[in-house]
Coordinates of all heavy atoms in Angstrom, one line a residue:
M1 N -50.4 27.0 -70.6 CA -50.4 28.3 -71.1 C -50.4 28.2 -72.7 O -49.7 27.4 -73.2 CB -49.2 29.1 -70.7 CG -49.3 29.6 -69.3 SD -47.8 30.5 -68.9 CE -47.6 29.9 -67.2
K2 N -51.1 29.1 -73.2 CA -51.2 29.2 -74.7 C -51.0 30.7 -75.1 O -51.8 31.5 -74.8 CB -52.5 28.7 -75.2 CG -52.5 28.7 -76.7 CD -53.7 28.0 -77.3 CE -53.6 28.1 -78.8 NZ -54.3 28.1 -79.7
F3 N -49.9 30.9 -75.8 CA -49.5 32.3 -76.2 C -49.9 32.5 -77.7 O -49.5 31.7 -78.6 CB -48.0 32.5 -76.1 CG -47.6 32.4 -74.6 CD1 -47.1 31.2 -74.1 CD2 -47.7 33.6 -73.8 CE1 -46.7 31.2 -72.7 CE2 -47.2 33.5 -72.5 CZ -46.8 32.3 -72.0
E4 N -50.7 33.5 -77.9 CA -51.1 33.9 -79.3 C -50.4 35.2 -79.6 O -50.7 36.2 -79.0 CB -52.6 34.0 -79.3 CG -53.2 34.3 -80.7 CD -54.7 34.4 -80.6 OE1 -55.3 33.4 -80.2 OE2 -55.2 35.4 -81.0
N5 N -49.6 35.2 -80.7 CA -48.9 36.4 -81.1 C -49.9 37.3 -81.9 O -50.6 36.8 -82.8 CB -47.7 36.0 -82.0 CG -46.7 35.2 -81.3 OD1 -46.6 35.2 -80.1 ND2 -46.1 34.3 -82.0
T6 N -49.8 38.6 -81.7 CA -50.6 39.5 -82.4 C -49.8 40.5 -83.2 O -50.3 41.2 -84.1 CB -51.6 40.3 -81.5 OG1 -50.8 40.9 -80.5 CG2 -52.6 39.3 -80.8
F7 N -48.5 40.7 -82.8 CA -47.6 41.6 -83.5 C -46.2 41.1 -83.4 O -45.8 40.5 -82.4 CB -47.6 43.0 -82.8 CG -46.6 43.9 -83.4 CD1 -46.9 44.6 -84.5 CD2 -45.4 44.1 -82.8 CE1 -45.9 45.5 -85.1 CE2 -44.4 44.9 -83.3 CZ -44.7 45.6 -84.5
L8 N -45.5 41.2 -84.5 CA -44.1 40.7 -84.6 C -43.2 41.8 -85.2 O -43.6 42.4 -86.3 CB -44.0 39.5 -85.5 CG -42.7 39.0 -86.0 CD1 -41.8 38.5 -84.8 CD2 -42.8 38.0 -87.0
S9 N -42.1 42.1 -84.6 CA -41.1 43.0 -85.1 C -39.9 42.1 -85.5 O -39.1 41.7 -84.7 CB -40.6 44.0 -84.1 OG -39.5 44.7 -84.7
R10 N -39.8 41.8 -86.8 CA -38.7 41.0 -87.3 C -37.4 41.8 -87.1 O -36.3 41.2 -86.7 CB -38.9 40.7 -88.8 CG -40.0 39.7 -89.0 CD -40.1 39.4 -90.5 NE -41.3 38.7 -90.8 CZ -41.5 37.4 -90.7 NH1 -40.6 36.6 -90.3 NH2 -42.7 36.9 -91.0
E11 N -37.4 43.1 -87.3 CA -36.2 43.9 -87.3 C -35.6 43.9 -85.8 O -34.4 43.8 -85.7 CB -36.6 45.4 -87.7 CG -35.4 46.3 -87.5 CD -35.8 47.8 -87.9 OE1 -37.0 48.0 -88.2 OE2 -34.8 48.6 -87.9
H12 N -36.5 44.0 -84.8 CA -36.0 44.1 -83.5 C -36.2 42.8 -82.7 O -35.9 42.8 -81.5 CB -36.7 45.3 -82.8 CG -36.5 46.6 -83.4 ND1 -35.2 47.2 -83.4 CD2 -37.3 47.4 -84.1 CE1 -35.3 48.3 -84.1 NE2 -36.5 48.5 -84.5
R13 N -36.7 41.8 -83.3 CA -36.8 40.5 -82.7 C -37.6 40.4 -81.4 O -37.0 40.0 -80.4 CB -35.4 39.9 -82.6 CG -34.7 39.7 -83.9 CD -33.3 39.1 -83.8 NE -33.4 37.7 -83.2 CZ -33.5 36.6 -83.8 NH1 -33.6 36.6 -85.1 NH2 -33.6 35.5 -83.2
Y14 N -38.8 40.9 -81.5 CA -39.7 40.7 -80.3 C -41.1 40.6 -80.9 O -41.4 40.9 -82.0 CB -39.6 41.9 -79.4 CG -40.3 43.2 -79.8 CD1 -41.6 43.4 -79.6 CD2 -39.5 44.1 -80.5 CE1 -42.2 44.6 -80.1 CE2 -40.1 45.3 -81.0 CZ -41.4 45.5 -80.7 OH -42.0 46.7 -81.2
W15 N -42.0 40.1 -80.0 CA -43.4 40.1 -80.4 C -44.3 40.4 -79.2 O -43.9 40.3 -78.1 CB -43.8 38.8 -81.2 CG -43.4 37.5 -80.5 CD1 -44.2 36.7 -79.8 CD2 -42.2 36.9 -80.6 NE1 -43.5 35.6 -79.4 CE2 -42.3 35.7 -79.9 CE3 -41.0 37.2 -81.3 CZ2 -41.2 34.8 -79.8 CZ3 -39.9 36.3 -81.2 CH2 -40.0 35.1 -80.4
L16 N -45.5 40.7 -79.5 CA -46.6 41.0 -78.6 C -47.7 40.1 -78.8 O -47.9 39.6 -79.9 CB -47.1 42.5 -78.7 CG -46.0 43.6 -78.7 CD1 -46.7 44.9 -79.0 CD2 -45.3 43.6 -77.3
G17 N -48.5 39.9 -77.7 CA -49.6 39.0 -77.9 C -50.4 38.9 -76.6 O -50.3 39.7 -75.7
I18 N -51.2 37.8 -76.6 CA -52.1 37.5 -75.4 C -51.9 36.0 -75.0 O -51.8 35.1 -75.9 CB -53.5 37.8 -75.7 CG1 -54.4 37.7 -74.5 CG2 -54.1 37.0 -76.9 CD1 -55.8 38.4 -74.6
E19 N -51.9 35.8 -73.7 CA -51.9 34.4 -73.2 C -53.4 34.1 -73.1 O -54.0 34.7 -72.2 CB -51.1 34.4 -71.9 CG -50.8 32.9 -71.4 CD -52.0 32.2 -70.9 OE1 -52.7 32.7 -70.0 OE2 -52.2 31.0 -71.4
T20 N -53.8 33.2 -73.9 CA -55.3 33.0 -74.0 C -56.0 32.5 -72.8 O -57.2 32.7 -72.6 CB -55.6 32.2 -75.3 OG1 -55.0 30.9 -75.1 CG2 -55.1 32.9 -76.5
E21 N -55.3 31.7 -72.0 CA -56.0 31.1 -70.8 C -56.2 32.1 -69.7 O -57.3 32.1 -69.1 CB -55.2 29.9 -70.3 CG -55.2 28.7 -71.2 CD -54.3 27.6 -70.8 OE1 -53.8 27.6 -69.6 OE2 -54.1 26.7 -71.6
S22 N -55.3 33.0 -69.5 CA -55.4 34.1 -68.5 C -56.0 35.4 -69.0 O -56.4 36.2 -68.2 CB -54.0 34.3 -67.8 OG -53.2 34.9 -68.7
G23 N -55.8 35.6 -70.3 CA -56.2 36.9 -70.9 C -55.2 38.0 -70.7 O -55.4 39.1 -71.1
E24 N -54.0 37.6 -70.2 CA -53.0 38.6 -70.0 C -52.2 38.8 -71.2 O -51.9 37.9 -72.0 CB -52.0 38.2 -68.9 CG -52.6 38.2 -67.5 CD -51.6 37.7 -66.4 OE1 -51.4 36.5 -66.3 OE2 -51.1 38.7 -65.8
H25 N -51.7 40.1 -71.4 CA -50.9 40.4 -72.6 C -49.4 40.1 -72.3 O -49.1 40.1 -71.1 CB -51.1 41.9 -73.0 CG -52.4 42.1 -73.7 ND1 -53.4 42.7 -73.0 CD2 -52.8 41.9 -74.9 CE1 -54.5 42.8 -73.9 NE2 -54.1 42.3 -75.0
F26 N -48.6 40.0 -73.3 CA -47.2 39.7 -73.1 C -46.4 40.4 -74.2 O -46.8 40.7 -75.3 CB -46.9 38.2 -73.1 CG -47.1 37.5 -74.4 CD1 -46.1 37.5 -75.3 CD2 -48.3 37.0 -74.7 CE1 -46.3 36.9 -76.6 CE2 -48.5 36.3 -76.0 CZ -47.5 36.3 -76.9
A27 N -45.1 40.6 -73.8 CA -44.0 40.9 -74.8 C -43.1 39.7 -74.7 O -42.8 39.2 -73.6 CB -43.4 42.2 -74.4
A28 N -42.5 39.3 -75.8 CA -41.7 38.1 -75.8 C -40.4 38.3 -76.6 O -40.4 39.1 -77.6 CB -42.4 36.9 -76.3
I29 N -39.3 37.7 -76.2 CA -38.1 37.8 -76.9 C -37.5 36.4 -77.1 O -37.7 35.5 -76.3 CB -37.0 38.6 -76.2 CG1 -36.8 38.1 -74.7 CG2 -37.5 40.1 -76.1 CD1 -35.6 38.8 -74.0
P30 N -36.8 36.1 -78.2 CA -36.1 34.8 -78.4 C -34.8 34.8 -77.6 O -34.1 35.8 -77.5 CB -35.8 34.8 -79.9 CG -35.7 36.2 -80.3 CD -36.6 37.0 -79.4
V31 N -34.6 33.6 -77.0 CA -33.3 33.4 -76.2 C -32.8 32.0 -76.6 O -33.5 31.2 -77.2 CB -33.5 33.5 -74.7 CG1 -33.9 34.9 -74.3 CG2 -34.6 32.5 -74.2
S32 N -31.5 31.8 -76.3 CA -30.9 30.5 -76.6 C -30.0 30.1 -75.5 O -29.2 30.9 -75.0 CB -30.1 30.7 -78.0 OG -29.5 29.5 -78.4
N33 N -30.0 28.8 -75.2 CA -29.0 28.3 -74.3 C -28.2 27.2 -75.0 O -28.3 27.1 -76.2 CB -29.6 27.7 -73.0 CG -30.5 26.5 -73.1 OD1 -30.4 25.8 -74.1 ND2 -31.4 26.3 -72.1
Q34 N -27.4 26.4 -74.3 CA -26.6 25.4 -75.0 C -27.4 24.3 -75.7 O -26.8 23.7 -76.6 CB -25.6 24.8 -74.0 CG -24.7 25.7 -73.4 CD -23.8 25.1 -72.3 OE1 -23.6 23.9 -72.3 NE2 -23.2 25.9 -71.5
M35 N -28.6 24.1 -75.3 CA -29.4 23.0 -75.9 C -30.5 23.4 -76.8 O -30.9 22.6 -77.7 CB -29.9 22.1 -74.7 CG -28.8 21.5 -73.9 SD -29.3 20.4 -72.6 CE -30.1 19.1 -73.6
V36 N -31.1 24.5 -76.6 CA -32.3 24.8 -77.3 C -32.5 26.4 -77.4 O -32.1 27.1 -76.6 CB -33.5 24.2 -76.5 CG1 -33.8 24.8 -75.2 CG2 -34.8 24.2 -77.4
D37 N -33.2 26.8 -78.5 CA -33.7 28.1 -78.6 C -35.1 28.1 -78.0 O -35.9 27.2 -78.3 CB -33.8 28.5 -80.1 CG -32.4 28.6 -80.7 OD1 -31.4 28.7 -80.0 OD2 -32.3 28.5 -81.9
Y38 N -35.5 29.2 -77.3 CA -36.8 29.2 -76.8 C -37.2 30.7 -76.6 O -36.5 31.6 -77.0 CB -36.9 28.5 -75.4 CG -36.1 29.0 -74.3 CD1 -36.7 29.8 -73.3 CD2 -34.8 28.7 -74.2 CE1 -36.0 30.3 -72.3 CE2 -34.0 29.2 -73.1 CZ -34.6 30.0 -72.1 OH -33.9 30.5 -71.1
V39 N -38.4 30.9 -76.0 CA -38.9 32.3 -75.9 C -39.1 32.6 -74.4 O -39.6 31.7 -73.6 CB -40.3 32.4 -76.6 CG1 -41.0 33.7 -76.3 CG2 -40.1 32.2 -78.1
E40 N -38.8 33.8 -74.0 CA -39.2 34.3 -72.7 C -40.3 35.3 -72.9 O -40.1 36.3 -73.7 CB -38.0 35.0 -72.0 CG -36.9 34.0 -71.5 CD -35.8 34.7 -70.8 OE1 -35.6 35.9 -70.7 OE2 -35.0 33.9 -70.1
A41 N -41.4 35.1 -72.2 CA -42.6 36.0 -72.3 C -42.7 36.7 -71.0 O -42.7 36.2 -69.9 CB -43.8 35.1 -72.6
Y42 N -43.0 38.0 -71.1 CA -43.1 39.0 -70.0 C -44.5 39.5 -69.9 O -45.0 40.0 -71.0 CB -42.1 40.1 -70.1 CG -40.6 39.6 -70.1 CD1 -40.0 39.1 -71.2 CD2 -39.9 39.8 -68.9 CE1 -38.7 38.6 -71.2 CE2 -38.6 39.3 -68.9 CZ -38.0 38.8 -70.0 OH -36.7 38.3 -69.9
R43 N -45.1 39.5 -68.8 CA -46.4 40.1 -68.6 C -46.4 41.6 -68.8 O -45.5 42.3 -68.3 CB -46.9 39.9 -67.2 CG -47.4 38.4 -67.0 CD -47.8 38.3 -65.5 NE -48.4 36.9 -65.3 CZ -47.6 35.9 -65.0 NH1 -46.3 36.0 -64.8 NH2 -48.2 34.7 -64.9
I44 N -47.3 42.1 -69.6 CA -47.5 43.6 -69.7 C -49.0 43.9 -69.5 O -49.9 43.0 -69.7 CB -47.0 44.1 -71.1 CG1 -47.8 43.4 -72.2 CG2 -45.5 44.0 -71.2 CD1 -47.4 44.0 -73.6
S45 N -49.3 45.1 -69.0 CA -50.7 45.5 -68.8 C -51.4 45.7 -70.1 O -50.7 45.9 -71.1 CB -50.7 46.7 -67.9 OG -50.2 47.8 -68.6
D46 N -52.7 45.8 -70.0 CA -53.5 46.1 -71.2 C -53.1 47.5 -71.8 O -52.9 47.7 -73.0 CB -55.0 46.2 -70.9 CG -55.5 44.8 -70.5 OD1 -54.8 43.8 -70.8 OD2 -56.6 44.7 -70.0
A47 N -52.8 48.5 -70.8 CA -52.4 49.8 -71.3 C -51.0 49.8 -71.9 O -50.8 50.4 -73.0 CB -52.4 50.8 -70.1
E48 N -50.1 49.0 -71.4 CA -48.8 48.9 -72.0 C -48.9 48.2 -73.4 O -48.3 48.6 -74.4 CB -47.8 48.0 -71.2 CG -47.4 48.8 -69.9 CD -46.6 47.8 -69.0 OE1 -47.0 46.7 -68.7 OE2 -45.5 48.3 -68.5
Y49 N -49.7 47.2 -73.5 CA -49.9 46.5 -74.8 C -50.4 47.5 -75.8 O -49.9 47.6 -76.9 CB -51.0 45.4 -74.6 CG -51.4 44.7 -75.9 CD1 -50.5 43.8 -76.5 CD2 -52.6 45.0 -76.5 CE1 -50.9 43.1 -77.7 CE2 -53.0 44.3 -77.6 CZ -52.1 43.4 -78.2 OH -52.5 42.8 -79.4
Q50 N -51.4 48.3 -75.5 CA -51.9 49.3 -76.5 C -50.9 50.3 -76.8 O -50.7 50.7 -78.0 CB -53.2 50.0 -75.9 CG -54.4 49.1 -75.7 CD -54.8 48.4 -77.0 OE1 -54.7 49.0 -78.1 NE2 -55.3 47.2 -76.9
K51 N -50.1 50.8 -75.8 CA -49.1 51.8 -76.0 C -48.0 51.2 -76.9 O -47.5 51.8 -77.9 CB -48.5 52.2 -74.7 CG -47.3 53.2 -74.8 CD -46.7 53.6 -73.5 CE -45.6 54.6 -73.7 NZ -45.1 55.0 -72.4
F52 N -47.6 49.9 -76.7 CA -46.5 49.3 -77.5 C -47.0 49.1 -78.9 O -46.1 49.2 -79.8 CB -46.1 48.0 -76.8 CG -45.4 48.2 -75.5 CD1 -45.2 47.1 -74.7 CD2 -45.0 49.4 -75.0 CE1 -44.6 47.2 -73.5 CE2 -44.4 49.5 -73.8 CZ -44.2 48.4 -73.0
L53 N -48.2 48.8 -79.1 CA -48.7 48.7 -80.5 C -48.7 50.0 -81.2 O -48.3 50.0 -82.4 CB -50.2 48.1 -80.5 CG -50.4 46.7 -80.2 CD1 -51.9 46.4 -80.1 CD2 -49.7 45.8 -81.2
A54 N -48.9 51.1 -80.5 CA -49.0 52.4 -81.2 C -47.6 53.1 -81.2 O -47.4 53.9 -82.1 CB -49.9 53.3 -80.4
D55 N -46.7 52.7 -80.3 CA -45.4 53.3 -80.2 C -44.3 52.3 -80.2 O -44.0 51.8 -79.1 CB -45.4 54.2 -79.0 CG -44.1 55.0 -78.8 OD1 -43.1 54.8 -79.5 OD2 -44.1 55.8 -77.8
G56 N -43.8 52.0 -81.3 CA -42.7 51.0 -81.4 C -41.5 51.3 -80.6 O -40.8 50.4 -80.1
G57 N -41.2 52.6 -80.4 CA -40.0 53.0 -79.6 C -40.2 52.6 -78.2 O -39.3 52.2 -77.5
A58 N -41.4 52.8 -77.6 CA -41.7 52.4 -76.3 C -41.6 50.9 -76.1 O -41.1 50.4 -75.1 CB -43.1 52.9 -75.8
A59 N -42.1 50.2 -77.1 CA -42.0 48.7 -77.0 C -40.6 48.3 -77.0 O -40.2 47.4 -76.3 CB -42.8 48.1 -78.2
L60 N -39.8 48.9 -77.9 CA -38.3 48.5 -78.0 C -37.6 48.9 -76.7 O -36.8 48.1 -76.2 CB -37.7 49.2 -79.2 CG -36.3 48.8 -79.5 CD1 -36.1 47.3 -79.7 CD2 -35.7 49.6 -80.7
D61 N -37.9 50.0 -76.1 CA -37.3 50.3 -74.8 C -37.6 49.2 -73.7 O -36.7 48.8 -73.0 CB -37.8 51.6 -74.2 CG -37.3 52.8 -75.0 OD1 -36.2 52.7 -75.7 OD2 -37.8 53.9 -74.8
F62 N -38.9 48.8 -73.7 CA -39.3 47.7 -72.7 C -38.5 46.4 -73.1 O -38.0 45.8 -72.2 CB -40.8 47.5 -72.8 CG -41.2 46.4 -71.8 CD1 -41.4 46.7 -70.5 CD2 -41.5 45.1 -72.3 CE1 -41.7 45.7 -69.6 CE2 -41.8 44.1 -71.4 CZ -42.0 44.4 -70.0
V63 N -38.5 46.0 -74.3 CA -37.9 44.8 -74.7 C -36.4 44.8 -74.5 O -35.8 43.8 -74.0 CB -38.2 44.5 -76.2 CG1 -37.3 43.4 -76.8 CG2 -39.7 44.2 -76.4
E64 N -35.7 45.9 -74.7 CA -34.3 46.0 -74.3 C -34.1 45.8 -72.9 O -33.1 45.2 -72.4 CB -33.7 47.3 -74.8 CG -33.6 47.4 -76.4 CD -32.8 46.3 -77.0 OE1 -31.8 45.9 -76.4 OE2 -33.1 45.9 -78.1
G65 N -35.0 46.3 -72.0 CA -35.0 46.1 -70.6 C -35.1 44.6 -70.3 O -34.4 44.1 -69.4
C66 N -36.0 43.9 -71.0 CA -36.1 42.5 -70.8 C -34.8 41.8 -71.2 O -34.4 40.8 -70.5 CB -37.3 41.9 -71.7 SG -38.9 42.5 -71.3
R67 N -34.2 42.2 -72.2 CA -32.9 41.5 -72.6 C -31.8 41.8 -71.6 O -31.0 40.9 -71.4 CB -32.5 42.1 -74.0 CG -33.4 41.6 -75.1 CD -32.8 42.0 -76.5 NE -33.7 41.5 -77.5 CZ -34.4 42.2 -78.4 NH1 -34.4 43.5 -78.4 NH2 -35.2 41.6 -79.3
R68 N -31.9 42.9 -70.9 CA -31.0 43.2 -69.8 C -31.4 42.5 -68.5 O -30.8 42.8 -67.4 CB -30.8 44.7 -69.6 CG -30.1 45.4 -70.8 CD -29.8 46.8 -70.5 NE -30.9 47.6 -70.2 CZ -31.7 48.3 -71.1 NH1 -31.4 48.3 -72.4 NH2 -32.7 49.0 -70.7
R69 N -32.5 41.8 -68.5 CA -33.1 41.1 -67.4 C -33.6 42.1 -66.3 O -33.6 41.7 -65.1 CB -32.1 40.1 -66.8 CG -31.8 39.0 -67.9 CD -30.9 38.0 -67.3 NE -30.6 37.0 -68.4 CZ -29.8 36.0 -68.3 NH1 -29.1 35.9 -67.2 NH2 -29.7 35.1 -69.3
E70 N -34.0 43.2 -66.7 CA -34.6 44.2 -65.8 C -36.0 44.0 -65.4 O -36.5 44.6 -64.5 CB -34.4 45.6 -66.3 CG -33.0 46.0 -66.5 CD -32.8 47.3 -67.3 OE1 -33.9 47.9 -67.8 OE2 -31.7 47.8 -67.5
H71 N -36.7 43.1 -66.1 CA -38.1 42.9 -65.9 C -38.4 41.4 -65.6 O -39.5 40.9 -65.8 CB -39.0 43.3 -67.1 CG -38.8 44.7 -67.5 ND1 -39.2 45.8 -66.7 CD2 -38.2 45.3 -68.6 CE1 -38.9 46.9 -67.4 NE2 -38.3 46.6 -68.5
D72 N -37.5 40.7 -64.9 CA -37.6 39.3 -64.6 C -38.8 39.0 -63.7 O -39.4 38.0 -63.7 CB -36.4 38.7 -64.0 CG -35.3 38.5 -65.0 OD1 -35.5 38.8 -66.2 OD2 -34.2 38.0 -64.6
D73 N -39.2 40.0 -62.9 CA -40.4 39.9 -62.1 C -41.7 39.7 -62.9 O -42.7 39.3 -62.3 CB -40.5 41.0 -61.1 CG -40.7 42.4 -61.8 OD1 -39.9 42.6 -62.8 OD2 -41.5 43.2 -61.4
R74 N -41.6 40.0 -64.2 CA -42.8 39.9 -65.0 C -42.8 38.6 -65.9 O -43.8 38.4 -66.7 CB -42.9 41.0 -66.0 CG -43.1 42.4 -65.3 CD -43.3 43.4 -66.4 NE -43.4 44.8 -65.9 CZ -44.1 45.7 -66.5 NH1 -44.7 45.4 -67.6 NH2 -44.1 46.9 -66.1
L75 N -41.8 37.7 -65.8 CA -41.8 36.5 -66.6 C -43.0 35.6 -66.3 O -43.4 35.4 -65.1 CB -40.5 35.7 -66.3 CG -39.2 36.3 -66.9 CD1 -38.0 35.6 -66.3 CD2 -39.3 35.9 -68.4
F76 N -43.6 35.0 -67.3 CA -44.6 34.0 -67.1 C -44.0 32.8 -66.5 O -44.7 32.2 -65.6 CB -45.3 33.7 -68.5 CG -46.4 34.6 -68.8 CD1 -46.2 35.8 -69.5 CD2 -47.7 34.3 -68.5 CE1 -47.2 36.7 -69.8 CE2 -48.8 35.2 -68.8 CZ -48.5 36.4 -69.5
L77 N -42.9 32.4 -67.0 CA -42.2 31.1 -66.5 C -40.8 31.5 -66.1 O -40.1 32.1 -66.8 CB -42.2 30.1 -67.6 CG -43.5 29.6 -68.1 CD1 -43.3 28.7 -69.3 CD2 -44.3 28.8 -67.0
R78 N -40.4 31.1 -64.9 CA -39.1 31.3 -64.4 C -38.1 30.4 -65.2 O -38.4 29.2 -65.4 CB -39.0 31.0 -62.9 CG -39.9 31.9 -62.1 CD -39.3 33.3 -62.0 NE -40.3 34.1 -61.3 CZ -40.4 35.4 -61.6 NH1 -39.7 36.0 -62.5 NH2 -41.3 36.1 -60.9
P79 N -37.0 30.9 -65.6 CA -36.0 30.2 -66.3 C -35.3 29.2 -65.4 O -35.2 29.4 -64.2 CB -35.0 31.2 -66.9 CG -35.2 32.4 -66.0 CD -36.6 32.3 -65.5
G80 N -34.8 28.1 -66.0 CA -34.0 27.1 -65.2 C -32.6 27.6 -65.0 O -32.2 28.7 -65.3
A81 N -31.8 26.6 -64.5 CA -30.4 26.9 -64.2 C -29.6 27.3 -65.4 O -28.7 28.1 -65.3 CB -29.8 25.7 -63.5
D82 N -30.0 26.8 -66.6 CA -29.2 27.1 -67.8 C -30.0 28.1 -68.6 O -30.5 27.8 -69.7 CB -29.0 25.8 -68.6 CG -28.2 26.0 -69.9 OD1 -27.5 27.1 -69.9 OD2 -28.2 25.2 -70.7
R83 N -30.2 29.3 -68.1 CA -31.0 30.3 -68.7 C -30.3 30.8 -70.0 O -29.1 31.0 -70.1 CB -31.1 31.5 -67.8 CG -32.0 32.6 -68.4 CD -32.3 33.7 -67.4 NE -33.3 34.6 -68.0 CZ -33.7 35.7 -67.3 NH1 -33.3 35.9 -66.1 NH2 -34.6 36.5 -67.9
G84 N -31.2 30.9 -71.0 CA -30.7 31.4 -72.3 C -30.2 32.8 -72.4 O -30.6 33.6 -71.5
T85 N -29.5 33.1 -73.4 CA -29.1 34.5 -73.7 C -29.9 35.1 -74.8 O -30.2 34.3 -75.8 CB -27.6 34.5 -74.1 OG1 -27.0 33.3 -74.0 CG2 -26.8 35.5 -73.3
P86 N -30.3 36.3 -74.7 CA -31.1 36.9 -75.8 C -30.4 36.8 -77.1 O -29.2 36.9 -77.2 CB -31.3 38.4 -75.4 CG -31.1 38.4 -73.9 CD -30.1 37.3 -73.6
M87 N -31.2 36.5 -78.2 CA -30.7 36.4 -79.5 C -30.9 37.7 -80.3 O -31.7 38.5 -80.0 CB -31.5 35.3 -80.2 CG -31.3 34.0 -79.6 SD -32.4 32.6 -80.1 CE -32.2 32.7 -81.9

């Protein structure tokens, strides 16, 4: 998998982009566990991607749901036993 970022919110600590091999869009958040900082990327539809680019509030609502682990069914990669906490 290769993730290409197209939008970054420094203030709210998330980014949007495209996974170039599949062509799927994603929203991503930084997380940290005891050993490493890493990124969790969540699949979003093309319509959601366009909406999130145009409406930062809608993007932030979705990202906050990701931080609360409400969208785990959309993760590109399942986390291991030592899942990180959102940063």
Side-chain angles (χ1 to χ4, degrees):
M1 282 183 221
K2 182 173 180 198
F3 296 94
E4 183 178 305
N5 301 330
T6 58
F7 173 82
L8 166 68
S9 172
R10 292 182 195 274
E11 178 183 3
H12 299 292
R13 298 184 58 93
Y14 75 87
W15 50 99
L16 305 173
I18 189 164
E19 195 285 310
T20 58
E21 293 175 9
S22 68
E24 292 182 279
H25 286 102
F26 69 86
I29 58 170
V31 294
S32 181
N33 66 21
Q34 295 178 23
M35 297 183 64
V36 67
D37 296 339
Y38 65 98
V39 171
E40 289 185 347
Y42 296 79
R43 286 179 174 86
I44 57 174
S45 69
D46 294 342
E48 287 172 315
Y49 174 76
Q50 294 302 325
K51 179 180 181 179
F52 295 165
L53 286 176
D55 181 354
L60 186 56
D61 286 344
F62 179 81
V63 167
E64 290 300 329
C66 294
R67 290 186 176 117
R68 291 187 303 269
R69 300 183 176 173
E70 295 171 357
H71 302 296
D72 284 0
D73 59 317
R74 296 185 184 210
L75 282 165
F76 273 86
L77 299 170
R78 299 287 174 213
D82 186 17
R83 185 172 186 181
T85 354
M87 299 169 49

